């Protein structure tokens, strides 16, 4: 079985400052890990994915995430927040032998001007 | 290059009515997944279909809910005799192959409100 814990339900940052969204996972097998973003009343957009290649994964819009197996973490970062980054972010895990995705509960990001 | 198309975007039903949610996957994608998002929660897997076959419906309530993905036409998620607890956002996603090899493409969802 697999599961995801997003450690912060809400993160508030000032525009131009770094963003850190924390995610821990558990998985019985080699996991694939994803970060998705959901803007209000929109579908989910893939930011980045990890599938056992480089542990530092670069995504769209300046986001990146680092896979740390020893800490079972996959935290998402961005060096400088933009107003358009205000949205909900989901950390997602799937096992290599399972097609079901397990979603975290989500982290809502607000960006202050 | 159209993405996953879901309609309607918003659906209001009275208790006891039927809700039909439609999903057209990305062209060429033969794997369709339905997820439900309750308020303040992440998405929960409901059902996985390939053309004309239900592969896994373990996340779908056994009563009142059904899904299909016919050879021609969109995938349909059908909820009979809706109750207030069915109010949620329902997302469809598609992929060209089994999900662990390729990320899902999500639609914008159908927001069902049961009054």
């Amino acid at each position: 079985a697999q599961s995801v814990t997003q450690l912060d339900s809400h993160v508030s940052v000032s525009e131009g400052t770094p963003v850190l969204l924390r995610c821990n996972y558990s998985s019985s097998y080699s996991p694939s890990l994803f970060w998705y973003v959901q803007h209000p009343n929109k579908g989910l957009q893939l930011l980045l994915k990890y599938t056992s290649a480089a542990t530092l994964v670069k995504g769209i819009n300046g986001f990146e995430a680092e896979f740390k197996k020893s800490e079972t973490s996959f935290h998402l970062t961005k060096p400088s927040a933009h107003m358009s980054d205000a949205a909900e972010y989901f950390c997602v895990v799937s096992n290599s032998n399972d097609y079901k995705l397990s979603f975290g509960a989500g982290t809502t990001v607000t960006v202050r001007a | 290059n159209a993405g996953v198309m879901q309609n309607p975007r918003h659906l209001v039903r009275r208790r006891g009515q039927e809700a039909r949610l439609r999903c057209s996957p990305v062209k060429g994608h033969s794997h369709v997944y339905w997820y439900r998002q309750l308020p303040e929660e992440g998405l929960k897997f409901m059902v996985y279909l390939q053309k004309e076959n239900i592969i896994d419906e373990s996340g779908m309530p056994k009563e009142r809910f059904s899904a299909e993905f016919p050879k021609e036409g969109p995938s349909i998620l059908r909820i009979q005799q809706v109750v207030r607890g069915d109010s949620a956002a329902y997302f469809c996603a598609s992929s060209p192959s089994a999900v662990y090899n390729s990320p899902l493409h999500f639609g914008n969802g159908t927001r069902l409100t049961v009054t």
Side-chain angles (χ1 to χ4, degrees), chain B residues 50-93:
Chain B
Q50 292 184 28
K51 279 290 187 182
E52 299 184 272
N53 291 307
I54 296 174
I55 306 302
D56 184 343
E57 55 184 350
S58 60
M60 202 157 64
K62 291 193 176 355
E63 296 179 356
R64 302 188 298 108
F65 285 72
S66 62
E68 63 177 13
F69 188 18
K71 187 176 180 181
E72 302 290 339
S75 176
I76 305 289
L77 179 67
R78 182 181 177 208
I79 311 172
Q80 295 177 290
Q81 299 174 337
V82 296
V83 301
R84 288 225 172 98
D86 297 332
S87 295
Y90 292 82
F91 287 93
C92 172

Short mmCIF file of all heavy atoms in Angstrom, two decimals, chain B residues 50-93:
data_model
loop_
_atom_site.label_atom_id
_atom_site.label_comp_id
_atom_site.label_asym_id
_atom_site.label_seq_id
_atom_site.Cartn_x
_atom_site.Cartn_y
_atom_site.Cartn_z
N GLN B 50 -10.40 0.70 -19.61
CA GLN B 50 -9.87 0.76 -20.96
C GLN B 50 -11.06 0.58 -21.90
O GLN B 50 -12.15 0.24 -21.45
CB GLN B 50 -8.81 -0.33 -21.18
CG GLN B 50 -7.55 -0.08 -20.37
CD GLN B 50 -6.47 -1.12 -20.65
OE1 GLN B 50 -6.40 -1.69 -21.74
NE2 GLN B 50 -5.64 -1.38 -19.67
N LYS B 51 -10.83 0.76 -23.16
CA LYS B 51 -11.95 0.71 -24.11
C LYS B 51 -12.79 -0.55 -23.88
O LYS B 51 -12.28 -1.67 -23.96
CB LYS B 51 -11.43 0.71 -25.53
CG LYS B 51 -11.07 2.10 -26.06
CD LYS B 51 -12.30 2.95 -26.29
CE LYS B 51 -11.94 4.26 -26.97
NZ LYS B 51 -13.13 5.13 -27.15
N GLU B 52 -14.05 -0.35 -23.56
CA GLU B 52 -15.06 -1.41 -23.40
C GLU B 52 -14.82 -2.31 -22.19
O GLU B 52 -15.53 -3.28 -21.99
CB GLU B 52 -15.17 -2.28 -24.67
CG GLU B 52 -15.57 -1.49 -25.90
CD GLU B 52 -15.75 -2.40 -27.12
OE1 GLU B 52 -14.77 -2.64 -27.82
OE2 GLU B 52 -16.89 -2.84 -27.34
N ASN B 53 -13.82 -2.02 -21.38
CA ASN B 53 -13.54 -2.87 -20.23
C ASN B 53 -13.36 -2.06 -18.95
O ASN B 53 -12.71 -1.02 -18.97
CB ASN B 53 -12.25 -3.68 -20.46
CG ASN B 53 -12.44 -4.72 -21.54
OD1 ASN B 53 -13.35 -5.54 -21.49
ND2 ASN B 53 -11.56 -4.70 -22.52
N ILE B 54 -13.94 -2.56 -17.88
CA ILE B 54 -13.64 -2.01 -16.56
C ILE B 54 -12.49 -2.82 -15.98
O ILE B 54 -12.60 -4.03 -15.80
CB ILE B 54 -14.86 -2.09 -15.63
CG1 ILE B 54 -15.99 -1.22 -16.17
CG2 ILE B 54 -14.48 -1.65 -14.21
CD1 ILE B 54 -17.30 -1.36 -15.39
N ILE B 55 -11.37 -2.16 -15.72
CA ILE B 55 -10.19 -2.86 -15.22
C ILE B 55 -10.23 -2.95 -13.70
O ILE B 55 -9.91 -3.98 -13.11
CB ILE B 55 -8.90 -2.17 -15.68
CG1 ILE B 55 -8.89 -1.99 -17.20
CG2 ILE B 55 -7.68 -2.95 -15.20
CD1 ILE B 55 -9.04 -3.29 -17.97
N ASP B 56 -10.61 -1.86 -13.07
CA ASP B 56 -10.59 -1.81 -11.61
C ASP B 56 -11.64 -0.81 -11.14
O ASP B 56 -11.54 0.37 -11.47
CB ASP B 56 -9.19 -1.40 -11.12
CG ASP B 56 -9.06 -1.42 -9.60
OD1 ASP B 56 -10.08 -1.41 -8.89
OD2 ASP B 56 -7.91 -1.40 -9.12
N GLU B 57 -12.63 -1.29 -10.43
CA GLU B 57 -13.65 -0.38 -9.89
C GLU B 57 -13.66 -0.43 -8.38
O GLU B 57 -14.68 -0.16 -7.73
CB GLU B 57 -15.03 -0.72 -10.47
CG GLU B 57 -15.45 -2.16 -10.26
CD GLU B 57 -16.80 -2.48 -10.92
OE1 GLU B 57 -17.49 -1.55 -11.37
OE2 GLU B 57 -17.14 -3.68 -10.97
N SER B 58 -12.53 -0.74 -7.80
CA SER B 58 -12.47 -0.94 -6.35
C SER B 58 -12.72 0.33 -5.54
O SER B 58 -13.06 0.26 -4.37
CB SER B 58 -11.11 -1.54 -5.97
OG SER B 58 -10.06 -0.66 -6.35
N GLY B 59 -12.56 1.48 -6.15
CA GLY B 59 -12.78 2.73 -5.43
C GLY B 59 -14.18 3.30 -5.60
O GLY B 59 -14.48 4.36 -5.07
N MET B 60 -15.00 2.60 -6.30
CA MET B 60 -16.35 3.09 -6.60
C MET B 60 -17.36 2.42 -5.67
O MET B 60 -17.30 1.20 -5.48
CB MET B 60 -16.69 2.78 -8.06
CG MET B 60 -17.78 3.65 -8.64
SD MET B 60 -17.68 3.75 -10.42
CE MET B 60 -17.98 2.04 -10.85
N PRO B 61 -18.28 3.19 -5.10
CA PRO B 61 -19.33 2.56 -4.26
C PRO B 61 -20.06 1.49 -5.06
O PRO B 61 -20.31 1.65 -6.26
CB PRO B 61 -20.26 3.75 -3.93
CG PRO B 61 -19.39 4.95 -4.03
CD PRO B 61 -18.41 4.65 -5.13
N LYS B 62 -20.41 0.41 -4.40
CA LYS B 62 -20.98 -0.74 -5.10
C LYS B 62 -22.41 -0.47 -5.56
O LYS B 62 -22.87 -1.08 -6.52
CB LYS B 62 -20.93 -1.97 -4.21
CG LYS B 62 -19.51 -2.47 -3.99
CD LYS B 62 -19.45 -3.83 -3.39
CE LYS B 62 -18.05 -4.41 -3.24
NZ LYS B 62 -16.96 -3.66 -3.77
N GLU B 63 -23.07 0.43 -4.89
CA GLU B 63 -24.46 0.72 -5.26
C GLU B 63 -24.53 2.13 -5.87
O GLU B 63 -23.80 3.02 -5.49
CB GLU B 63 -25.37 0.63 -4.04
CG GLU B 63 -25.42 -0.77 -3.46
CD GLU B 63 -26.31 -0.87 -2.23
OE1 GLU B 63 -26.82 0.17 -1.78
OE2 GLU B 63 -26.50 -1.99 -1.74
N ARG B 64 -25.40 2.27 -6.80
CA ARG B 64 -25.80 3.54 -7.45
C ARG B 64 -24.77 4.08 -8.42
O ARG B 64 -25.11 4.92 -9.24
CB ARG B 64 -26.10 4.63 -6.39
CG ARG B 64 -27.20 4.26 -5.41
CD ARG B 64 -27.59 5.43 -4.53
NE ARG B 64 -26.48 5.89 -3.69
CZ ARG B 64 -25.81 7.03 -3.89
NH1 ARG B 64 -26.13 7.82 -4.90
NH2 ARG B 64 -24.81 7.37 -3.09
N PHE B 65 -23.52 3.66 -8.35
CA PHE B 65 -22.47 4.19 -9.22
C PHE B 65 -22.13 3.16 -10.30
O PHE B 65 -22.01 1.96 -10.01
CB PHE B 65 -21.20 4.51 -8.43
CG PHE B 65 -21.27 5.76 -7.61
CD1 PHE B 65 -22.04 5.80 -6.45
CD2 PHE B 65 -20.57 6.89 -7.98
CE1 PHE B 65 -22.11 6.96 -5.68
CE2 PHE B 65 -20.62 8.06 -7.22
CZ PHE B 65 -21.39 8.08 -6.07
N SER B 66 -21.95 3.64 -11.52
CA SER B 66 -21.48 2.78 -12.59
C SER B 66 -20.67 3.61 -13.57
O SER B 66 -20.83 4.84 -13.64
CB SER B 66 -22.65 2.08 -13.30
OG SER B 66 -23.50 3.06 -13.91
N ALA B 67 -19.80 2.95 -14.31
CA ALA B 67 -18.97 3.64 -15.29
C ALA B 67 -18.83 2.77 -16.52
O ALA B 67 -18.89 1.54 -16.45
CB ALA B 67 -17.59 3.95 -14.70
N GLU B 68 -18.67 3.45 -17.66
CA GLU B 68 -18.46 2.74 -18.90
C GLU B 68 -17.54 3.55 -19.79
O GLU B 68 -17.44 4.77 -19.67
CB GLU B 68 -19.79 2.46 -19.62
CG GLU B 68 -20.54 3.70 -20.03
CD GLU B 68 -21.82 3.39 -20.79
OE1 GLU B 68 -22.26 2.22 -20.79
OE2 GLU B 68 -22.37 4.32 -21.40
N PHE B 69 -16.89 2.87 -20.71
CA PHE B 69 -16.03 3.52 -21.72
C PHE B 69 -16.25 2.73 -23.01
O PHE B 69 -15.51 1.79 -23.30
CB PHE B 69 -14.57 3.47 -21.26
CG PHE B 69 -13.63 4.27 -22.12
CD1 PHE B 69 -14.07 5.26 -22.98
CD2 PHE B 69 -12.26 4.04 -22.04
CE1 PHE B 69 -13.20 6.00 -23.76
CE2 PHE B 69 -11.37 4.77 -22.82
CZ PHE B 69 -11.84 5.74 -23.67
N PRO B 70 -17.29 3.10 -23.76
CA PRO B 70 -17.65 2.32 -24.95
C PRO B 70 -16.61 2.47 -26.06
O PRO B 70 -15.76 3.36 -26.03
CB PRO B 70 -19.00 2.93 -25.36
CG PRO B 70 -18.98 4.31 -24.80
CD PRO B 70 -18.18 4.24 -23.54
N LYS B 71 -16.75 1.60 -27.04
CA LYS B 71 -15.82 1.61 -28.17
C LYS B 71 -15.85 2.97 -28.87
O LYS B 71 -14.82 3.49 -29.29
CB LYS B 71 -16.19 0.50 -29.14
CG LYS B 71 -15.21 0.30 -30.28
CD LYS B 71 -15.62 -0.90 -31.15
CE LYS B 71 -14.64 -1.09 -32.29
NZ LYS B 71 -15.04 -2.24 -33.14
N GLU B 72 -17.03 3.50 -29.01
CA GLU B 72 -17.19 4.83 -29.61
C GLU B 72 -17.80 5.76 -28.57
O GLU B 72 -18.72 5.38 -27.87
CB GLU B 72 -18.10 4.75 -30.84
CG GLU B 72 -17.60 3.80 -31.94
CD GLU B 72 -16.36 4.32 -32.62
OE1 GLU B 72 -16.12 5.55 -32.56
OE2 GLU B 72 -15.61 3.51 -33.21
N GLY B 73 -17.31 6.97 -28.50
CA GLY B 73 -17.91 7.94 -27.62
C GLY B 73 -17.18 8.09 -26.30
O GLY B 73 -16.19 7.39 -26.04
N PRO B 74 -17.67 9.02 -25.48
CA PRO B 74 -16.97 9.33 -24.24
C PRO B 74 -17.17 8.28 -23.16
O PRO B 74 -18.07 7.43 -23.25
CB PRO B 74 -17.62 10.66 -23.82
CG PRO B 74 -19.01 10.56 -24.36
CD PRO B 74 -18.88 9.83 -25.65
N SER B 75 -16.37 8.39 -22.13
CA SER B 75 -16.60 7.61 -20.92
C SER B 75 -17.71 8.28 -20.13
O SER B 75 -17.82 9.51 -20.11
CB SER B 75 -15.32 7.54 -20.10
OG SER B 75 -15.55 6.87 -18.87
N ILE B 76 -18.54 7.49 -19.49
CA ILE B 76 -19.66 8.00 -18.72
C ILE B 76 -19.55 7.48 -17.29
O ILE B 76 -19.37 6.27 -17.07
CB ILE B 76 -21.02 7.54 -19.29
CG1 ILE B 76 -21.16 7.91 -20.77
CG2 ILE B 76 -22.16 8.11 -18.46
CD1 ILE B 76 -21.33 9.38 -21.02
N LEU B 77 -19.68 8.40 -16.34
CA LEU B 77 -19.84 8.03 -14.94
C LEU B 77 -21.29 8.34 -14.57
O LEU B 77 -21.75 9.48 -14.73
CB LEU B 77 -18.89 8.82 -14.04
CG LEU B 77 -19.00 8.52 -12.53
CD1 LEU B 77 -18.54 7.10 -12.23
CD2 LEU B 77 -18.16 9.52 -11.73
N ARG B 78 -21.99 7.33 -14.11
CA ARG B 78 -23.42 7.47 -13.84
C ARG B 78 -23.68 7.26 -12.36
O ARG B 78 -23.21 6.28 -11.77
CB ARG B 78 -24.18 6.44 -14.68
CG ARG B 78 -25.67 6.48 -14.56
CD ARG B 78 -26.24 5.38 -15.43
NE ARG B 78 -27.70 5.30 -15.34
CZ ARG B 78 -28.39 4.19 -15.53
NH1 ARG B 78 -27.77 3.08 -15.83
NH2 ARG B 78 -29.70 4.20 -15.43
N ILE B 79 -24.41 8.18 -11.78
CA ILE B 79 -24.79 8.07 -10.38
C ILE B 79 -26.31 8.09 -10.31
O ILE B 79 -26.95 9.08 -10.66
CB ILE B 79 -24.22 9.23 -9.53
CG1 ILE B 79 -22.73 9.44 -9.80
CG2 ILE B 79 -24.44 8.93 -8.03
CD1 ILE B 79 -22.15 10.68 -9.14
N GLN B 80 -26.86 7.00 -9.86
CA GLN B 80 -28.32 6.91 -9.74
C GLN B 80 -28.76 7.33 -8.35
O GLN B 80 -28.04 7.16 -7.36
CB GLN B 80 -28.78 5.47 -10.02
CG GLN B 80 -28.51 5.00 -11.43
CD GLN B 80 -28.90 3.56 -11.65
OE1 GLN B 80 -28.27 2.65 -11.13
NE2 GLN B 80 -29.96 3.34 -12.41
N GLN B 81 -29.96 7.87 -8.28
CA GLN B 81 -30.58 8.22 -6.99
C GLN B 81 -29.61 8.99 -6.11
O GLN B 81 -29.27 8.56 -4.99
CB GLN B 81 -31.09 6.95 -6.29
CG GLN B 81 -32.13 6.21 -7.08
CD GLN B 81 -32.52 4.87 -6.46
OE1 GLN B 81 -31.74 4.30 -5.69
NE2 GLN B 81 -33.71 4.40 -6.75
N VAL B 82 -29.15 10.12 -6.60
CA VAL B 82 -28.10 10.86 -5.90
C VAL B 82 -28.55 11.28 -4.51
O VAL B 82 -29.74 11.53 -4.25
CB VAL B 82 -27.64 12.10 -6.70
CG1 VAL B 82 -26.99 11.68 -8.01
CG2 VAL B 82 -28.79 13.07 -6.94
N VAL B 83 -27.56 11.35 -3.61
CA VAL B 83 -27.77 11.83 -2.24
C VAL B 83 -26.81 13.00 -2.00
O VAL B 83 -25.88 13.22 -2.78
CB VAL B 83 -27.52 10.71 -1.21
CG1 VAL B 83 -28.45 9.53 -1.46
CG2 VAL B 83 -26.07 10.23 -1.26
N ARG B 84 -27.05 13.74 -0.91
CA ARG B 84 -26.24 14.94 -0.65
C ARG B 84 -24.76 14.60 -0.55
O ARG B 84 -23.91 15.39 -0.95
CB ARG B 84 -26.73 15.63 0.62
CG ARG B 84 -28.06 16.32 0.46
CD ARG B 84 -28.04 17.71 1.09
NE ARG B 84 -29.26 18.43 0.75
CZ ARG B 84 -30.30 18.52 1.57
NH1 ARG B 84 -30.27 17.94 2.76
NH2 ARG B 84 -31.37 19.19 1.20
N GLY B 85 -24.44 13.43 -0.03
CA GLY B 85 -23.05 13.04 0.11
C GLY B 85 -22.31 12.81 -1.21
O GLY B 85 -21.09 12.67 -1.22
N ASP B 86 -23.07 12.78 -2.31
CA ASP B 86 -22.43 12.63 -3.63
C ASP B 86 -21.90 13.96 -4.14
O ASP B 86 -21.19 14.00 -5.15
CB ASP B 86 -23.43 12.06 -4.65
CG ASP B 86 -23.91 10.67 -4.29
OD1 ASP B 86 -23.16 9.93 -3.62
OD2 ASP B 86 -25.04 10.31 -4.68
N SER B 87 -22.25 15.05 -3.48
CA SER B 87 -21.77 16.37 -3.89
C SER B 87 -20.24 16.40 -3.81
O SER B 87 -19.66 16.18 -2.74
CB SER B 87 -22.36 17.47 -3.01
OG SER B 87 -23.76 17.55 -3.17
N ALA B 88 -19.61 16.66 -4.93
CA ALA B 88 -18.15 16.62 -5.00
C ALA B 88 -17.74 17.08 -6.40
O ALA B 88 -18.58 17.30 -7.27
CB ALA B 88 -17.63 15.20 -4.75
N ALA B 89 -16.42 17.19 -6.57
CA ALA B 89 -15.89 17.41 -7.92
C ALA B 89 -15.42 16.06 -8.45
O ALA B 89 -14.70 15.33 -7.75
CB ALA B 89 -14.74 18.40 -7.89
N TYR B 90 -15.82 15.73 -9.65
CA TYR B 90 -15.46 14.46 -10.25
C TYR B 90 -14.51 14.74 -11.42
O TYR B 90 -14.86 15.47 -12.35
CB TYR B 90 -16.70 13.72 -10.74
CG TYR B 90 -17.57 13.25 -9.60
CD1 TYR B 90 -18.47 14.12 -8.98
CD2 TYR B 90 -17.47 11.95 -9.10
CE1 TYR B 90 -19.26 13.71 -7.91
CE2 TYR B 90 -18.25 11.53 -8.04
CZ TYR B 90 -19.13 12.42 -7.45
OH TYR B 90 -19.90 12.01 -6.39
N PHE B 91 -13.33 14.17 -11.32
CA PHE B 91 -12.31 14.41 -12.34
C PHE B 91 -12.07 13.15 -13.16
O PHE B 91 -11.98 12.04 -12.61
CB PHE B 91 -10.99 14.84 -11.71
CG PHE B 91 -11.03 16.23 -11.16
CD1 PHE B 91 -11.35 16.46 -9.83
CD2 PHE B 91 -10.76 17.32 -11.97
CE1 PHE B 91 -11.40 17.75 -9.32
CE2 PHE B 91 -10.80 18.62 -11.48
CZ PHE B 91 -11.12 18.82 -10.15
N CYS B 92 -11.95 13.35 -14.44
CA CYS B 92 -11.57 12.28 -15.35
C CYS B 92 -10.14 12.53 -15.78
O CYS B 92 -9.71 13.69 -15.92
CB CYS B 92 -12.51 12.30 -16.55
SG CYS B 92 -12.05 11.19 -17.88
N ALA B 93 -9.39 11.47 -15.96
CA ALA B 93 -8.02 11.58 -16.44
C ALA B 93 -7.79 10.50 -17.48
O ALA B 93 -8.46 9.46 -17.48
CB ALA B 93 -7.02 11.44 -15.30
#
